[in-house]
Amino acid sequence: MSAYKSDFLNVLANRGFIHQVSEPEALDALARSSTITAYIGFDCTAPSLHIGSLLPIMLLYWLQQTGHRPIALMGGGTTRVGDPSGKDESRRLLTDAAINENLKGIRAIFARFLRFGDGSNNAANDAVMANNADWLNTLNYIDFLRDIGRHFSINRMLAFDSVKLRLERQQELSFLEFNYMILQAYDFVELFRRYGCVLQMGGSDQWGNIVSGIDLGRRLNNAQLFALTSPLITTSSGAKMGKTAAGAVWLNADQVSPYEYWQYWRNTEDADVGRFLKLFTVLPLDEIARLAALKGEEINEAKKILATEATSLVHGRVAASEAAATARTTFEEGGLGAALPVVSLPAELSEEFFGPPGLSVLTAFRAVGLVRSNGEARREIRGGGLRVNDIPVTDERMVLTLSDRRGPEGVVKLSLGRKRHVLLKPV
């Protein structure tokens, strides 16, 4: 159990969020005696955050739940540079228009987790959404070099893992990226000046950048600032969190549906269930301990609870319940789940479907994205991996016709293996 006395650090420790803390006793005492303000930065490289950002979002959630003020810092400025941490190559540079468009999609997710003030009667711990473009985009380069750059040692910067690993692999690190840690450190200083922010949180790969901000704050403002990092999450088999064969698991529903999101969590490995329940749900710890202790077939019930609770946080309770019901219908009752992804056939393929001789099953599976080529479809058929309306496909010359339509919508259920399903809708 945790040795921390503040609710904030106690909750984080007991749920497995803490990897490293600077001056833990001082931060613990401060969190007990006053409302602290802490921030995490999020770059705007895509129109949605993905599951890799979920753990830092949960850090902000628990910060506010224990009485403190979170700042979600949008990297409208630093996204123009690109964070080299954990990267083997330079990020693709985005235009200002693309960054601003991405910001619109990213902002929406935070309202699910944090309580923001309405501008009238704000509570002391109402969340703040800031954008570092507000101060970085207007910096004068010469003044910044003179006033800020002189506090940074190239020798020390070269020793940071984010830089050292790239250089050891003889991979290019641009001067633009090299400046990222200076800009991130300056963010910490600005947030301290504007909001009294004393704590920066992030993944363990951000430790060097955060410590640079602590040092800069001490030099410029004689301020005591703190760092807290969380472990980088991988599955028990060593896979990176949030990566699937289909790509990243995005948090916005228009990129990954609530049903697909629910399925991601339902497919959690047995050994990860307890850990993920602590990190990615708000269930009480005693209930999590009970679920994590389940063995054999019973662990599947714990996975369903994990999936529903995790989906509820991002997409709401109604969408999570619908996804669970769809999974039950699809897997346990052999029916057509209402929340399954629906793909409409292009007009030219619909003509084949409605007219003789029908639509090739190879073309159908390729059209909905379950396979990438006819050759892959044939291999899956030989292995028993493709099904139409829950019936295995055994003949690669099979065609789909009007007789294959099911339900009031007249769809055809196409399945790859046991976990990937699409409803094909001829138009």
Side-chain angles (χ1 to χ4, degrees):
M1 295 296 290
S2 167
Y4 294 112
K5 297 179 180 179
S6 66
D7 289 343
F8 169 53
L9 290 180
N10 193 46
V11 167
L12 293 194
N14 287 334
R15 286 184 171 268
F17 283 96
I18 296 180
H19 177 75
Q20 198 168 2
V21 184
S22 68
E23 301 183 76
E25 292 182 359
L27 179 60
D28 194 29
L30 185 64
R32 288 185 69 200
S33 62
S34 62
T35 299
I36 64 172
T37 299
Y39 92 96
I40 299 177
F42 299 85
D43 276 345
C44 314
T45 53
S48 170
L49 298 176
H50 53 71
I51 277 186
S53 299
L54 194 55
L55 190 140
I57 293 174
M58 292 302 296
L59 279 172
L60 293 177
Y61 169 85
W62 287 115
L63 176 79
Q64 187 171 52
Q65 292 299 308
T66 53
H68 304 286
R69 181 167 68 156
I71 298 177
L73 178 64
M74 300 293 99
T78 42
T79 299
R80 301 174 72 186
V81 175
D83 183 3
S85 301
K87 300 288 181 262
D88 290 335
E89 56 186 21
S90 299
R91 289 184 186 268
R92 180 175 61 90
L93 297 182
L94 301 179
T95 64
D96 288 348
I99 291 171
N100 290 332
E101 192 62 29
N102 289 344
L103 275 170
K104 295 177 184 177
I106 290 171
R107 285 190 178 111
I109 195 63
F110 288 96
R112 295 278 190 185
F113 292 86
L114 304 176
R115 184 190 69 255
F116 292 90
D118 61 8
S120 58
N121 187 26
N122 292 356
N125 71 329
D126 278 345
V128 173
M129 182 164 285
N131 186 344
N132 62 17
D134 293 345
W135 53 85
L136 294 182
N137 287 5
T138 57
L139 287 175
N140 180 291
Y141 185 61
I142 298 299
D143 290 343
F144 187 74
L145 285 178
R146 182 192 62 197
D147 298 336
I148 307 300
R150 64 190 178 92
H151 296 295
F152 287 82
S153 163
I154 292 293
N155 307 64
R156 186 180 178 193
M157 294 167 74
L158 288 172
F160 288 159
D161 285 343
S162 58
V163 174
K164 185 167 61 176
L165 291 176
R166 289 271 286 273
L167 296 180
E168 286 176 352
R169 296 170 183 168
Q170 296 186 336
Q171 292 162 336
E172 181 177 318
L173 179 72
S174 71
F175 178 72
L176 191 65
E177 292 174 290
F178 195 60
N179 277 271
Y180 187 95
M181 65 185 73
I182 301 178
L183 298 178
Q184 184 172 331
Y186 185 68
D187 283 344
F188 204 170
V189 169
E190 278 290 332
L191 291 173
F192 171 78
R193 290 171 175 170
R194 294 172 182 235
Y195 301 101
C197 179
V198 297
L199 171 64
Q200 182 182 172
M201 301 185 290
S204 58
D205 60 335
Q206 292 294 318
W207 180 259
N209 289 350
I210 299 175
V211 169
S212 292
I214 290 175
D215 184 58
L216 185 62
R218 178 181 56 79
R219 291 172 182 270
L220 295 181
N221 300 318
N222 195 30
Q224 183 177 27
L225 304 179
F226 300 92
L228 186 154
T229 60
S230 56
L232 298 180
I233 303 300
T234 58
T235 66
S236 58
S237 63
K240 188 175 182 179
M241 180 75 182
K243 291 293 185 181
T244 69
V249 182
W250 302 101
L251 301 184
N252 286 7
D254 59 350
Q255 292 185 267
V256 170
S257 72
Y259 171 77
E260 293 171 304
Y261 190 81
W262 190 96
Q263 277 295 327
Y264 172 82
W265 293 107
R266 170 62 181 84
N267 294 330
T268 295
E269 297 175 27
D270 291 2
D272 292 325
V273 172
R275 183 166 56 116
F276 287 0
L277 281 166
K278 287 182 179 180
L279 294 172
F280 302 113
T281 80
V282 297
L283 289 175
L285 289 175
D286 55 353
E287 173 65 5
I288 291 173
R290 183 189 69 81
L291 293 170
L294 297 176
K295 304 295 182 183
E297 286 298 315
E298 290 184 334
I299 195 66
N300 289 323
E301 293 307 311
K303 292 180 182 181
K304 293 175 187 177
I305 292 172
L306 166 63
T308 300
E309 294 300 317
T311 304
S312 293
L313 289 176
V314 173
H315 297 293
R317 180 64 62 178
V318 171
S321 298
E322 289 176 352
T326 293
R328 185 167 54 251
T329 300
T330 302
F331 293 104
E332 298 173 16
E333 301 168 12
L336 299 176
L340 287 176
V342 178
V343 176
S344 296
L345 269 179
E348 62 273 15
L349 295 183
S350 287
E351 290 179 8
E352 292 185 36
F353 181 89
F354 285 106
L359 180 66
S360 163
V361 71
L362 305 180
T363 301
F365 274 90
R366 194 176 72 247
V368 301
L370 288 176
V371 298
R372 287 169 292 185
S373 65
N374 287 350
E376 182 180 350
R378 291 188 178 97
R379 290 192 294 275
E380 291 290 348
I381 290 172
R382 289 194 291 269
L386 300 188
R387 285 176 292 147
V388 173
N389 294 330
D390 297 317
I391 299 173
V393 178
T394 57
D395 185 355
E396 65 184 48
R397 294 170 297 179
M398 175 183 173
V399 294
L400 304 181
T401 65
L402 290 175
S403 63
D404 293 305
R405 300 177 74 176
R406 298 288 186 270
E409 296 296 322
V411 294
V412 182
K413 181 180 176 184
L414 303 183
S415 304
L416 171 62
R418 297 180 58 192
K419 299 176 181 179
R420 297 187 63 192
H421 309 271
V422 172
L423 301 181
L424 177 65
K425 185 176 182 180
V427 295

